[in-house]
Amino acid sequence: MALIVQKYGGTSVGSVERIQAVAQRVYKTVKAGNSLVVVVSAMGKTTDGLVKLANEISRNPNRREMDMLLSTGEQVTIALLSMALQELGQPAISMTGAQVGIVTEAEHSRARILHIETTRLTRHINEGKVVVVAGFQGTSSTEEMEITTLGRGGSDTSAVAIAAALGANFCEIYTDVPGILTTDPRLVPEAQLIDAITCNEMLELASLGAKVLHPRAVEIARNYGVPLVVRSSWTDAAGTWVTSAKPQGRSLINLEIARPVDAVEFDTDQARVALLRVPDKPGVAARLFGEISRQKVDVDLIIQSIHEGNSNDIAFTVTTPILKRAEAVTTAIAPALRNQSNPKLDEAEVMIEHNIAKVSIAGAGMIGRPGVAAKMFATLAEAGVNIQMISTSEVKVSCVVHAAECDRAVAALRTAFEIEAGEAKRDEGDEEAGGDEGVGRDKLILLSPSSPSSPSSPSSPSSPTSPTPPVRGVALDLNQARLAIRQLPDRPGMAAKLFGLLAQHNISVDMIIQSQRCRVIDGVPRRDIAFTVSRIDGENAKEMLTQVAAELGWGEVVLDSAIAKVSIVGAGMLGQPGVAAKMFEALAQQQINIQMIATSEIKISCVVPQEQGVKALQAIHAAFELAGSEKFVVPA
């Protein structure tokens, strides 16, 4: 007999008929010998309707009262589903988040879960009842016992947190699509169902806008080793398993606000190749990395900064043993990338830098926490370490520094993020490892005692084990804006100041790109830095940064809201050269210009013009042959 937590979204319980269908599914699962907790969302568009009512009353509704209002939506659903189960002869009881014992921060509209008091929940389960829980809500730990809500995707978060607290065998997320698809079926109807995906891959896809699972839910699953399966509430299809490493005794106290960083990683066997002043036009990255791929040169980080005039800079890192080959390939292709309109003025220049190291922090807990990256940059600044390159993903922030400063950087980061020195292992490619063109070298990783270390799969006969393709999914984010600060002084502490300010204003940053071209102005070396934020934060971020720019010696702050970010995700990039080249070539064939490039071990992201975002997604999805024969239609 298994203990299962099931979650049903708003469309799955959108009508009386749908609630009765869910009750039948739950009843069938219990009769198969399982114990069950069911977490539900508000019916259909109920939450949207409540928000509309509030906005008719107030232009700026009080957040406490909004929580009080919005929490009622789920209460309707839990009562109706409990009644439907009782009509089938199945004992059931409905419970609000407070009654279940979901204790959260005292943060209205965006609370994180601290812990779950499972005594009452366990008692009802042992009595043979199905416990129907209101998702999306909890209660603060203060004496006032305030009702709080968890923000967007809160029911997913509630379900996985309850599964972790109860030690459930697995958690089933029922939605209106058959599982995790290779991309949004509304944009590409031929999107293919993925049988299984790792938590790290899912974290990237979820954070890039794949709305089937919320990143916070995936974060909890990863941290506590909860096997997830995403299924359609409309069919009996197997769905998609989301697998994670087995955790090592992570505490259930401070469930969502515990240690954000699990590991400090470093790699001293690196060199950097930069190609400066290449034309800012479609096809340049495709030609460069196409040739790199043909010469079997393994690339790790790739950075393309914002353009300056009609030219751009592209930099990448390689392992030291293949540096000469990388330099030869880049030098040979540089003349072909010259700006033909004025070749003497804009000749592409190859710049090589030896003696560099890549230092990274990793952990699912950094999702949506703007202060984590800022803390890393501040720690390096305090240690006197200058940052030469930055690359970010949802579960990792990497900085390229001078090799001589690597030990100092690692020691400082280990202290700042409380990572024990003795917890170390040699890693030859975990589920995140795998550079852009397939890197397979050793890395030393310093782990916290609670860091995942070994892969595990769900204890279910439905869990598949199949070869991993290089790219699992393609995502499009149309809700970002790009900010650029020109002529930022190139010295330790600048990134810390910049991203510390953003963190103080609760502004989360996604891509971060530091230009390779350095200019000396009035005796001070300066670089441009660009980053993306949520579009709704764009104007506020620009205004705030403009106010301090002159005081801190920064140049102009530029905002561009007409961008789109298209990304590919896949742990299988390891050992499969040419992945980036194929992505860039797909964009070049559609005459789509790449404005920025950033990579992590399992993700490559490109910023393109907003009006070409959908076309970019469709072209990349086709290039990696991710389409299936079946067309998925999302229920209305």
Side-chain angles (χ1 to χ4, degrees):
M1 183 178 75
L3 172 58
I4 304 171
V5 176
Q6 293 183 342
K7 178 262 176 178
Y8 293 90
T11 55
S12 300
V13 291
S15 65
V16 169
E17 292 75 22
R18 289 305 306 154
I19 289 173
Q20 290 172 329
V22 166
Q24 289 286 352
R25 188 185 291 270
V26 171
Y27 182 70
K28 181 180 177 181
T29 304
V30 174
K31 290 307 175 186
N34 301 297
S35 297
L36 214 59
V37 175
V38 180
V39 178
V40 294
S41 299
M43 294 175 64
K45 301 292 184 181
T46 298
T47 301
D48 292 342
L50 293 173
V51 170
K52 183 180 178 182
L53 285 173
N55 289 332
E56 290 175 0
I57 295 290
S58 171
R59 294 175 62 182
N60 186 25
N62 179 277
R63 283 168 53 189
R64 179 192 181 276
E65 303 309 330
M66 283 299 293
D67 277 2
M68 187 68 74
L69 174 66
L70 297 182
S71 65
T72 63
E74 281 73 19
Q75 289 180 231
V76 173
T77 316
I78 60 174
L80 292 175
L81 180 55
S82 184
M83 293 175 193
L85 286 166
Q86 291 166 8
E87 284 296 304
L88 295 174
Q90 171 58 47
I93 184 170
S94 62
M95 298 176 72
T96 65
Q99 290 173 318
V100 167
I102 298 177
V103 180
T104 75
E105 303 170 300
E107 277 282 347
H108 289 294
S109 78
R110 58 186 180 203
R112 288 181 180 268
I113 297 173
L114 299 178
H115 63 277
I116 300 177
E117 302 283 357
T118 58
T119 304
R120 186 177 180 187
L121 192 58
T122 302
R123 174 164 53 83
H124 287 307
I125 293 170
N126 292 339
E127 290 171 355
K129 297 176 185 174
V130 171
V131 183
V132 185
V133 179
F136 176 66
Q137 62 181 249
T139 184
S140 70
S141 58
T142 60
E143 291 181 3
E144 288 79 10
M145 297 286 287
E146 290 288 322
I147 291 176
T148 55
T149 64
L150 309 182
R152 189 178 71 82
S155 293
D156 287 352
T157 305
S158 300
V160 182
I162 289 171
L166 291 173
N169 294 85
F170 53 91
C171 178
E172 297 178 316
I173 306 292
Y174 284 93
T175 183
D176 54 4
V177 292
I180 308 300
L181 301 176
T182 51
T183 195
D184 187 343
R186 297 171 181 85
L187 302 177
V188 183
E190 300 82 10
Q192 193 171 348
L193 180 67
I194 301 171
D195 292 333
I197 190 169
T198 67
C199 268
N200 280 346
E201 291 172 315
M202 192 63 237
L203 276 169
E204 298 287 8
L205 287 172
S207 301
L208 290 166
K211 299 176 182 177
V212 178
L213 273 175
H214 194 274
R216 282 171 61 186
V218 185
E219 173 192 358
I220 297 170
R222 180 187 187 272
N223 287 342
Y224 293 94
V226 178
L228 289 179
V229 59
V230 180
R231 291 182 172 139
S232 170
S233 60
W234 304 75
T235 71
D236 292 323
T240 302
W241 283 97
V242 183
T243 61
S244 58
K246 185 177 181 181
Q248 298 180 352
R250 194 179 187 106
S251 172
L252 288 163
I253 303 299
N254 292 331
L255 192 146
E256 275 202 280
I257 64 168
R259 187 193 307 271
V261 173
D262 290 325
V264 174
E265 306 174 5
F266 64 92
D267 184 351
T268 56
D269 188 26
Q270 291 218 340
R272 179 176 58 183
V273 180
L275 197 56
L276 308 183
R277 294 186 293 277
V278 296
D280 183 39
K281 64 182 183 181
V284 171
R287 291 188 66 182
L288 172 60
F289 289 98
E291 187 60 31
I292 286 172
S293 172
R294 284 188 287 275
Q295 298 300 323
K296 305 298 182 185
V297 173
D298 293 339
V299 173
D300 186 2
L301 299 180
I302 300 177
I303 299 293
Q304 178 181 306
S305 55
I306 55 171
H307 67 85
E308 184 172 336
N310 295 320
S311 67
N312 216 321
D313 303 336
I314 300 177
F316 56 91
T317 59
V318 296
T319 55
T320 304
I322 64 169
L323 175 59
K324 289 188 182 298
R325 188 149 43 106
E327 183 178 1
V329 173
T330 309
T331 302
I333 199 172
L337 299 179
R338 187 176 302 163
N339 192 326
Q340 298 302 317
S341 63
N342 197 340
K344 291 184 179 180
L345 183 63
D346 293 316
E347 182 174 353
E349 175 190 351
V350 178
M351 183 174 69
I352 306 296
E353 180 152 6
H354 305 265
N355 301 319
I356 64 167
K358 182 177 71 171
V359 180
S360 309
I361 57 171
M366 61 180 70
I367 294 172
R369 300 184 197 180
V372 177
K375 183 176 180 178
M376 180 187 191
F377 302 150
T379 300
L380 294 177
E382 288 168 8
V385 176
N386 197 35
I387 300 169
Q388 300 181 22
M389 292 174 69
I390 300 170
S391 180
T392 59
S393 78
E394 285 303 320
V395 294
K396 182 177 287 189
V397 181
S398 298
C399 294
V400 170
V401 301
H402 195 278
E405 298 176 334
C406 181
D407 289 346
R408 189 162 76 248
V410 170
L413 291 172
R414 196 170 62 220
T415 299
F417 291 102
E418 301 178 1
I419 306 297
E420 296 293 332
E423 295 288 330
K425 71 172 183 174
R426 190 62 69 173
D427 182 24
E428 298 183 12
D430 60 7
E431 72 175 17
E432 265 207 309
D436 171 75
E437 303 299 330
V439 180
R441 60 184 175 279
D442 288 352
K443 298 184 297 183
L444 189 62
I445 302 179
L446 303 175
L447 303 167
S448 74
S450 60
S451 176
S453 63
S454 59
S456 62
S457 57
S459 53
S460 166
S462 302
S463 178
T465 55
S466 55
T468 303
V471 174
R472 310 306 311 282
V474 184
L476 175 66
D477 190 343
L478 293 169
N479 297 309
Q480 291 209 338
R482 180 181 63 210
L483 283 146
I485 300 179
R486 301 288 188 182
Q487 301 174 9
L488 200 74
D490 185 30
R491 58 174 178 255
M494 282 295 101
K497 277 191 173 66
L498 168 58
F499 295 104
L501 282 168
L502 293 167
Q504 288 171 22
H505 288 78
N506 203 34
I507 296 174
S508 293
V509 176
D510 186 12
M511 295 173 67
I512 302 173
I513 306 292
Q514 186 170 272
S515 70
Q516 299 308 295
R517 207 178 310 186
C518 186
R519 296 182 180 277
V520 178
I521 301 175
D522 297 330
V524 179
R526 297 174 179 272
R527 297 182 190 272
D528 297 340
I529 193 164
F531 53 92
T532 59
V533 298
S534 174
R535 186 171 297 158
I536 61 173
D537 290 328
E539 288 289 350
N540 289 338
K542 180 187 177 183
E543 182 179 349
M544 181 267 293
L545 294 174
T546 300
Q547 289 174 356
V548 301
E551 176 189 341
L552 296 173
W554 300 348
E556 182 186 10
V557 179
V558 181
L559 173 67
D560 184 358
S561 297
I563 65 164
K565 185 180 73 172
V566 62
S567 307
I568 57 174
V569 173
M573 293 181 190
L574 174 62
Q576 300 200 41
V579 176
K582 182 179 285 190
M583 179 184 188
F584 302 154
E585 178 60 30
L587 296 174
Q589 288 179 359
Q590 298 296 319
Q591 289 297 300
I592 297 173
N593 194 32
I594 300 172
Q595 299 178 3
M596 290 170 65
I597 301 171
T599 67
S600 73
E601 284 87 343
I602 64 170
K603 180 179 74 173
I604 304 172
S605 294
C606 295
V607 169
V608 300
Q610 184 183 42
E611 68 273 10
Q612 294 182 304
V614 173
K615 185 166 71 170
L617 172 80
Q618 294 168 339
I620 294 169
H621 192 271
F624 285 99
E625 300 178 352
L626 296 177
S629 56
E630 181 181 355
K631 290 189 177 183
F632 292 107
V633 178
V634 179

